[in-house]
Amino acid sequence: MVVNLGIDKEKVIARTFKIVFILMLCSSLLPWFDRGANAPLFWGFEVVMEHYLWIPFVVLILFIWAWGDKPKRWYAILGEAAFAGALGIYVYSILYFKRYLWTIYEPDTAMDLHFGLSSAMITFWLSAFLTVAAFVLFQFYLYSKMKSEK
């Protein structure tokens, strides 16, 4: 026996995705790395604003609130590429965290995974988790948009 409670599954997925996405954006305003006792915390927005890494966030915002009502294949591909860029921000910041400390180390310092992992704070991992969760929800969001288009 199936009971219909009148809950629209597509609206729940869309609303949940948008909430997680907004939390993901807000988590980039938190401190991500601890530089040590002699230096201030390193904030997430410093990473995002570096080297045009903010572009995936702008593309995703446009996709969700401007282009999302008109699902087309290239919008979906652009959204997927933007999420790949957003996920890449976390990999980049862990591997190249020493480059952000150019006042202490040389500016052309090579990647150092151990240094990045040991400097990452719990807020960085929370932000990375929210990004992965938003990416998974984005897949369901896209699927429901494409399904409703047919």
Side-chain angles (χ1 to χ4, degrees):
M1 180 172 144
V2 177
V3 178
N4 187 1
L5 298 175
I7 299 173
D8 187 8
K9 195 173 172 181
E10 291 179 11
K11 285 185 181 179
V12 170
I13 290 171
R15 188 173 295 133
T16 305
F17 166 67
K18 289 177 182 179
I19 289 170
V20 171
F21 182 76
I22 290 170
L23 288 173
M24 179 192 84
L25 290 177
C26 291
S27 70
S28 70
L29 300 175
L30 298 172
W32 279 5
F33 295 101
D34 187 3
R35 297 187 205 187
N38 297 329
L41 298 174
F42 196 76
W43 296 79
F45 66 86
E46 293 179 74
V47 175
V48 172
M49 297 309 284
E50 180 87 16
H51 303 300
Y52 302 106
L53 294 177
W54 51 269
I55 291 174
F57 292 118
V58 172
V59 169
L60 286 169
I61 289 169
L62 285 173
F63 179 84
I64 295 165
W65 281 283
W67 300 331
D69 295 336
K70 311 177 263 313
K72 298 197 184 314
R73 293 278 182 221
W74 73 273
Y75 288 157
I77 292 170
L78 190 60
E80 294 284 351
F83 252 114
L87 291 169
I89 289 171
Y90 296 93
V91 175
Y92 176 83
S93 60
I94 281 285
L95 291 177
Y96 291 103
F97 179 59
K98 259 190 182 176
R99 294 182 81 187
Y100 295 117
L101 304 175
W102 60 271
T103 56
I104 301 169
Y105 301 101
E106 296 178 20
D108 60 343
T109 302
M111 66 178 155
D112 190 352
L113 181 63
H114 180 265
F115 186 78
L117 289 174
S118 63
S119 302
M121 299 174 65
I122 190 71
T123 51
F124 172 82
W125 298 111
L126 171 72
S127 184
F129 171 76
L130 286 171
T131 303
V132 170
F135 177 71
V136 170
L137 286 169
F138 183 68
Q139 304 309 312
F140 290 110
Y141 178 73
L142 269 181
Y143 177 74
S144 68
K145 285 287 188 184
M146 293 299 176
K147 192 172 89 173
S148 67
E149 181 186 72
K150 293 179 182 181

